């Protein structure tokens, strides 16, 4: 997930889901370290808590749905 917190004040929406709670394997490192919603200015940030596609496909080389199925059941 690519994001820039400095741009949030120019957006015209009330919530966003572009910041993962952890991002040690993502192209842009640095998550918010929480699963609870929080505000960035006037925008409500809803942290992403699911494993991202980049990690699954490019680092773990896993193209199956097995990881998601195991977490959802």
């Amino acid at each position: 997930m690519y994001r820039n917190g400095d741009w949030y004040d120019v957006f015209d929406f009330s919530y966003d889901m572009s910041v993962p709670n952890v991002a040690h394997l993502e192209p842009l490192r640095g998550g918010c370290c929480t699963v609870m919603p929080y505000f960035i200015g006037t925008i409500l940030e809803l942290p992403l808590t699911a494993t991202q596609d980049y990690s699954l496909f490019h680092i773990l080389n896993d193209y199956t749905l097995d990881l998601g199925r195991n977490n959802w059941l």
Side-chain angles (χ1 to χ4, degrees):
M1 302 295 297
Y2 295 101
R3 60 204 176 278
N4 186 335
D6 296 332
W7 297 350
Y8 277 62
D9 58 345
V10 296
F11 294 141
D12 188 26
F13 45 79
S14 56
Y15 68 93
D16 176 59
M17 293 181 67
S18 66
V19 179
N21 64 331
V22 294
H24 57 282
L25 298 176
E26 299 304 321
L28 181 61
R29 293 178 157 215
C32 61
C33 300
T34 182
V35 296
M36 303 301 293
Y38 62 96
F39 283 93
I40 300 175
T42 59
I43 298 174
L44 178 64
E45 181 63 42
L46 305 170
L48 294 171
T49 57
T51 303
Q52 301 298 306
D53 294 340
Y54 178 84
S55 300
L56 282 174
F57 299 155
H58 300 286
I59 296 174
L60 300 176
N61 199 27
D62 185 355
Y63 292 88
T64 68
L65 297 176
D66 294 339
L67 182 62
R69 278 195 199 115
N70 293 334
N71 288 332
W72 297 324
L73 300 177

